[in-house]
């Protein structure tokens, strides 16, 4: 149950009983009901056993609950985003159970299968440029062979220009979602993943995250001319984003030799390199 749902349930109990011990209210709930305290819909009084919340205006409290908690009647199998709006006016208040849309480009019909059978993703790629599917709980899609994971749409659309021999390229949409990463982790030992991120602290930290989950099944792509690319196209602004310096400090202690190579180039040029530079 979400925090919003817990707050509404507790408010309904307070409305029904007329009072509630303050000691049984969390900090978040107290902040949530502050408007009701400010308008004296609910007041705080001392009573036997300690301070208590007392309902002073039950009609106003009932209206408040209704305004916050429409609780519309909908089918139980509706996605959580729809339930969130129907019950709490907020699509993000419940844990997201909407299947993730995974976009791939394939050059091998055997590389992506569903229930053990080829999905014809290579044919779809040849005809339409890409293939997509819904990744939900209990998904029976599986990857077989060597695959690549890229961060952005330009690298995804122009992947052939990297000259990398892979069966499938997966569009990670920036940072790979926990759901997508968990799915990749279910693949067998025949599965290998080549990661092509931006060569900056954010991209390398993402590779380290993948490596913690996938172990030696994932490899960082480091082109032979990476030093030349840094010399020509590296960008110092990539080191100014968010907590890049903190991430860079952590990356200097990595056990991954490929990451260390990139970190040395970052330190040398005081700059990072976007993956699009590999396509120039």
């Amino acid at each position: 149950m979400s925090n919003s749902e817990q707050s509404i349930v507790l408010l309904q109990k307070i409305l029904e009983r007329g009072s509630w011990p303050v000691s049984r209210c969390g900090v978040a709930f107290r902040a949530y009901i502050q408007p009701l305290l400010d308008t004296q819909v609910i007041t705080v009084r001392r009573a036997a056993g300690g301070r208590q919340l007392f309902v002073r205006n039950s009609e106003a409290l009932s209206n408040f609950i209704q305004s916050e908690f429409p609780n519309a009647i909908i089918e139980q199998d509706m996605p959580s985003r729809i339930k969130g709006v129907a019950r709490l006016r907020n699509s993000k208040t419940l844990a997201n159970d909407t299947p993730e849309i995974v976009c791939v480009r394939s050059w091998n019909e055997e590389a992506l299968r569903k229930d053990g059978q080829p999905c014809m993703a290579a044919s779809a790629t040849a005809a339409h440029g890409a293939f997509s599917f819904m990744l939900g709980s209990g998904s029976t899609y599986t990857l077989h062979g060597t695959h690549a994971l890229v961060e952005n749409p330009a690298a995804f659309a122009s992947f052939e220009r990297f000259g990398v021999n892979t069966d499938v390229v997966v569009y990670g949409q920036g940072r790979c979602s926990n759901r997508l990463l968990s799915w990749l982790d279910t693949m067998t030992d025949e599965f290998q993943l080549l990661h092509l991120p931006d060569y900056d602290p954010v991209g390398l930290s993402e590779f380290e995250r993948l490596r913690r989950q996938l172990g030696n099944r994932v490899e960082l792509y480091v082109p032979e001319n990476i030093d030349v690319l840094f010399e020509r196209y590296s960008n110092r602004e990539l080191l100014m984003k968010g907590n890049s310096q903190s991430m860079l400090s952590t990356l200097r202690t990595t056990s991954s030799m490929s990451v260390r190579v990139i970190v040395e180039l970052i330190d040398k040029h005081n700059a990072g390199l976007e993956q699009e530079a590999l396509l120039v």
Side-chain angles (χ1 to χ4, degrees), residues 26-48:
V27 174
F29 179 73
R30 295 181 206 179
Y32 181 75
I33 65 170
Q34 190 59 51
L36 298 171
L37 294 171
D38 292 341
T39 55
Q40 295 192 328
V41 173
I42 295 176
T43 58
V44 179
R45 303 178 192 171
R46 290 198 173 277

Side-chain angles (χ1 to χ4, degrees), residues 30-237:
R30 295 181 206 179
Y32 181 75
I33 65 170
Q34 190 59 51
L36 298 171
L37 294 171
D38 292 341
T39 55
Q40 295 192 328
V41 173
I42 295 176
T43 58
V44 179
R45 303 178 192 171
R46 290 198 173 277
R51 299 166 68 211
Q52 298 266 333
L53 295 175
F54 283 89
V55 178
R56 187 174 180 185
N57 188 332
S58 58
E59 182 179 355
L61 179 55
S62 180
N63 290 338
F64 177 83
I65 292 173
Q66 178 60 36
S67 68
E68 293 286 296
F69 192 48
N71 203 21
I73 298 174
I74 59 173
E75 293 85 350
Q76 285 300 310
D77 59 352
M78 281 287 192
S80 62
R81 290 293 180 100
I82 299 175
K83 288 180 180 177
V85 171
R87 297 172 63 182
L88 295 161
R89 301 176 184 266
N90 187 340
S91 66
K92 299 177 180 63
T93 192
L94 303 176
N96 184 20
D97 61 1
T98 303
E100 180 170 353
I101 301 174
V102 180
C103 293
V104 305
R105 303 184 67 219
S106 175
W107 297 273
N108 181 345
E109 295 291 22
E110 296 292 330
L112 177 63
R113 307 172 192 171
K114 178 175 171 49
D115 296 321
Q117 299 300 315
C119 296
M120 307 306 291
S123 298
T125 300
H128 308 288
F131 175 82
S132 63
F133 61 93
M134 304 286 275
L135 180 64
S137 60
S139 174
T140 57
Y141 288 95
T142 53
L143 290 170
H144 304 265
T146 303
H147 310 277
L149 175 67
V150 298
E151 290 187 3
N152 61 53
F156 179 71
S158 303
F159 186 78
E160 295 93 332
R161 297 189 63 178
F162 284 103
V164 177
N165 185 23
T166 59
D167 298 311
V168 170
V169 58
V170 181
Y171 176 34
Q173 303 182 57
R175 187 176 186 271
C176 177
S177 70
N178 289 332
R179 179 182 292 174
L180 181 59
L181 180 53
S182 295
W183 175 65
L184 293 174
D185 194 28
T186 65
M187 300 302 115
T188 63
D189 290 337
E190 67 176 291
F191 164 77
Q192 290 293 320
L193 184 69
L194 191 64
H195 186 214
L196 290 82
D198 286 333
Y199 298 93
D200 64 1
V202 176
L204 294 180
S205 294
E206 175 67 358
F207 171 73
E208 289 286 84
R209 172 173 169 254
L210 296 175
R211 191 166 72 97
R212 285 192 297 271
Q213 185 91 7
L214 303 176
N216 59 13
R217 290 175 293 171
V218 62
E219 177 184 347
L220 179 66
Y221 177 63
V222 181
E224 293 182 0
N225 65 335
I226 188 68
D227 53 340
V228 175
L229 295 173
F230 259 88
E231 184 71 36
R232 291 181 178 176
Y233 306 116
S234 59
N235 183 352
R236 293 186 177 183
E237 291 184 6

